[in-house]
Amino acid sequence: MSNITTFGGANLPSVQSLSGALRSIQSDAGATGSVILKMDKTGHWVFGADQTEVEEGSLWAANPFSFVHGYIAWGNGEVLAEKLVPVSEPLPALEPAPSGAARGWEMQVGMMLVCTNGEDKDMQARFTATSVGGKRAVQALAVAIADQVEKDQTKPVPLLALSSEHYQHKTYGRIFTPIFDITDWVSMDTDSVEPSEEAELEVAAEPEAPEGARRRRRVA
């Protein structure tokens, strides 16, 4: 169904080293050649400068060795500074936040994903989060990978369907948070990734887009 060539032959550490490093992210509440993946304020997953919507039914593989944690300082709509390290390393030391960073340093976690099917197959994407809901979603995924590694080290890569949920905030109204639904587990070094029949059925059960429908670009 898909090729996860991004992970193969990448001079990665042993899978056995994953569990402890991934679990460390639970206590913490960019790559080149990739796009930025995020969930917008309306609960839609989008990527790139044009804010293109993620294709319905797409599955994304999370690289289990790509999880990072650290800090980011935002100015007026721009990143003033960012310090991220692998989750196997301690959080980076911080100097005073750059001038213009109204909220100072904010905790940030993230990871790299690759699309495994559809129009965006093989596209690499970077996802980072500073919100409470976003950090919890990344943390939950990291712990799920750690659990999987302890059960089966041959298949540490989760295939994910991207979704969202929301809650009502008394001041800001409806707040959406990201969800990473694990549909299958696959190997790091296989060229041909075939999700289980169950995963295929879950994707097939999604409603089909109307004939002639085009993917939308969303305005943030």
Side-chain angles (χ1 to χ4, degrees):
M1 177 180 176
S2 58
N3 296 318
I4 306 187
T5 55
T6 305
F7 301 160
N11 194 28
L12 297 168
S14 66
V15 173
Q16 291 91 325
S17 66
L18 268 176
S19 180
L22 288 170
R23 288 188 185 282
S24 69
I25 199 173
Q26 187 173 217
S27 62
D28 304 329
T32 58
S34 63
V35 298
I36 300 297
L37 175 70
K38 67 178 184 178
M39 194 191 67
D40 68 16
K41 294 180 180 179
T42 65
H44 292 86
W45 284 92
V46 298
F47 63 83
D50 291 332
Q51 302 292 281
T52 303
E53 281 192 70
V54 166
E55 185 180 14
E56 187 175 359
S58 62
L59 292 177
W60 296 73
N63 184 340
F65 290 100
S66 69
F67 283 75
V68 292
H69 61 174
Y71 305 94
I72 189 170
W74 282 91
N76 185 19
E78 63 178 346
V79 176
L80 300 179
E82 188 176 41
K83 291 178 175 290
L84 289 172
V85 296
V87 294
S88 56
E89 300 177 13
L91 284 166
L94 292 179
E95 64 272 6
S99 60
R103 292 177 294 188
W105 290 107
E106 297 180 80
M107 174 71 73
Q108 180 175 236
V109 296
M111 60 186 173
M112 293 294 297
L113 303 96
V114 60
C115 188
T116 67
N117 64 334
E119 294 181 27
D120 305 314
K121 181 180 176 182
D122 297 330
M123 183 176 69
Q124 299 179 63
R126 177 180 186 251
F127 175 80
T128 57
T130 57
S131 68
V132 173
K135 288 186 289 186
R136 285 177 178 170
V138 174
Q139 292 160 358
L141 178 59
V143 173
I145 296 174
D147 289 340
Q148 169 67 11
V149 167
E150 292 174 357
K151 291 185 296 185
D152 183 1
Q153 297 179 1
T154 67
K155 294 182 177 181
V157 178
L159 292 185
L160 309 172
L162 307 180
S163 60
S164 65
E165 62 182 6
H166 67 269
Y167 64 92
Q168 196 70 21
H169 191 281
K170 62 181 181 181
T171 301
Y172 301 108
R174 181 172 291 186
I175 303 296
F176 288 89
T177 58
I179 297 292
F180 300 108
D181 291 317
I182 300 174
T183 65
D184 205 358
W185 295 93
V186 297
S187 170
M188 290 282 295
D189 55 7
T190 182
D191 288 332
S192 178
V193 178
E194 294 292 342
S196 66
E197 292 183 4
E198 181 180 358
E200 292 281 8
L201 288 174
E202 290 177 358
V203 175
E206 295 288 339
E208 295 184 359
E211 186 176 355
R214 296 183 178 180
R215 295 168 69 191
R216 294 175 294 170
R217 290 190 172 95
R218 304 192 67 85
V219 178

